[in-house]
Amino acid sequence: MGEIKGIIHSTESFGAADGPGVRYIIFMQGCRMRCRYCHNPDTWSMEGDNTTVSMSPGEVLEKALRYRSYWKDKGGITVSGGEPLLQIDFLLELFRLAKAEGVNTCIDTAGNPFTREEPFFSKFRELMNYTDLLLLDIKEIDPERHRNITGFGNENILDMAQYLSDIGKPVWIRHVLVPGLSDFDEDLDRLGGFIRTLGNVRRVEVLPYHTLGKFKWENLGIKYTLPDTFPPSAERVENAQKKLGAGKYAP
């Protein structure tokens, strides 16, 4: 068996929004979901292009460790995407090496690849041994509305959230608030109720929809289907925060 390689879209040396403290963020290439508001459609293709790089877990960790002095007690590495769980073999080896170095590890995921079927589930269970925190982006609680947003249902994603609660793995729940797509009072109430059943939630974040990635769709020649959708009002953001319990959980 050859050396594991990951397809890397890009990295960020001083991330401050994707996990506790200062983070070195690795953006993995590849995602099956087709979120209608995605601000990184250039990460969708599993093959990547001439801007992506193929690296081993050891090579990625070596680069990350150059910034360790900035992490202090809370910082570390976050693997985002794309969808990092699509490259679970790479992720497993990277986090195994990182924990051997005492590095805090975090996964930013929408949960779409999760299944209790093998061989994925055994790998995922082992991965959790080396993972300190997951940022789980729940796009919508209603399965049909979730399918409208992403092209996929959400049953396995909610099952993943339940599994992480069962094993006591800390998570931050994120919800992107999009007018007309994921901003419905009845669904926010349901999602808030679901979150309250979980015993492992450390933070809830409402992320307001924005159009900063729209130009990427145009550059890639992909039709953007939300041309008349604008960011939610401050009142709707506050409403979602209250219904989901943002601020009630201690990270």
Side-chain angles (χ1 to χ4, degrees):
M1 183 171 137
E3 184 180 29
I4 297 171
K5 293 279 189 176
I7 305 176
I8 312 297
H9 175 270
S10 57
T11 59
E12 182 179 340
S13 304
F14 297 97
D18 295 308
V22 175
R23 316 295 299 183
Y24 184 89
I25 306 175
I26 303 111
F27 295 94
M28 305 298 293
Q29 184 69 28
C31 185
R32 292 196 298 246
M33 294 171 79
R34 294 293 181 263
C35 297
R36 295 173 62 186
Y37 50 77
C38 180
H39 58 272
N40 286 318
D42 46 329
T43 66
W44 286 354
S45 168
M46 284 302 300
E47 290 75 30
D49 55 28
N50 58 4
T51 67
T52 57
V53 295
S54 178
M55 300 178 67
S56 71
E59 290 170 333
V60 171
L61 183 60
E62 182 181 5
K63 286 188 64 177
L65 288 174
R66 298 172 189 172
Y67 301 90
R68 188 170 194 166
S69 61
Y70 299 99
W71 299 344
K72 309 301 181 185
D73 294 334
K74 292 185 178 180
I77 63 174
T78 295
V79 183
S80 186
E83 174 49 69
L85 292 179
L86 288 176
Q87 300 192 57
I88 194 168
D89 292 329
F90 171 87
L91 193 54
L92 182 54
E93 179 64 9
L94 172 63
F95 277 19
R96 186 186 68 80
L97 295 173
K99 294 314 293 182
E101 294 287 338
V103 174
N104 181 276
T105 55
C106 176
I107 302 171
D108 181 8
T109 176
N112 173 256
F114 181 80
T115 176
R116 296 191 188 232
E117 295 181 1
E118 299 295 351
F120 179 91
F121 192 49
S122 291
K123 293 177 181 179
F124 185 82
R125 286 190 298 174
E126 184 179 358
L127 176 61
M128 291 304 97
N129 293 330
Y130 308 119
T131 303
D132 292 306
L133 174 71
L134 292 96
L135 314 181
L136 179 58
D137 186 357
I138 300 181
K139 312 291 185 181
E140 242 287 346
I141 191 71
D142 182 85
E144 288 309 311
R145 283 178 172 155
H146 191 280
R147 190 175 297 278
N148 176 47
I149 294 170
T150 71
F152 290 85
N154 64 357
E155 293 82 1
N156 64 315
I157 296 167
L158 300 182
D159 185 39
M160 174 177 164
Q162 185 61 61
Y163 173 73
L164 293 173
S165 177
D166 291 344
I167 66 172
K169 184 60 60 176
V171 300
W172 292 5
I173 300 292
R174 291 173 152 182
H175 178 69
V176 182
L177 193 70
V178 188
L181 278 189
S182 62
D183 183 12
F184 303 97
D185 282 350
E186 63 271 25
D187 291 0
L188 293 171
D189 285 333
R190 284 178 60 196
L191 179 55
F194 175 73
I195 291 171
R196 288 191 290 274
T197 69
L198 307 175
N200 60 332
V201 178
R202 300 294 182 266
R203 177 181 291 185
V204 176
E205 296 181 332
V206 175
L207 308 179
Y209 164 77
H210 61 74
T211 59
L212 298 179
K214 184 178 176 182
F215 75 95
K216 294 183 180 180
W217 291 67
E218 297 167 351
N219 291 345
L220 292 168
I222 307 172
K223 182 180 179 181
Y224 193 71
T225 64
L226 303 175
D228 301 318
T229 301
F230 298 93
S233 67
E235 290 77 14
R236 291 306 297 175
V237 173
E238 183 179 0
N239 176 69
Q241 290 172 334
K242 288 180 178 178
K243 288 181 177 297
L244 300 187
K248 293 184 179 180
Y249 301 88

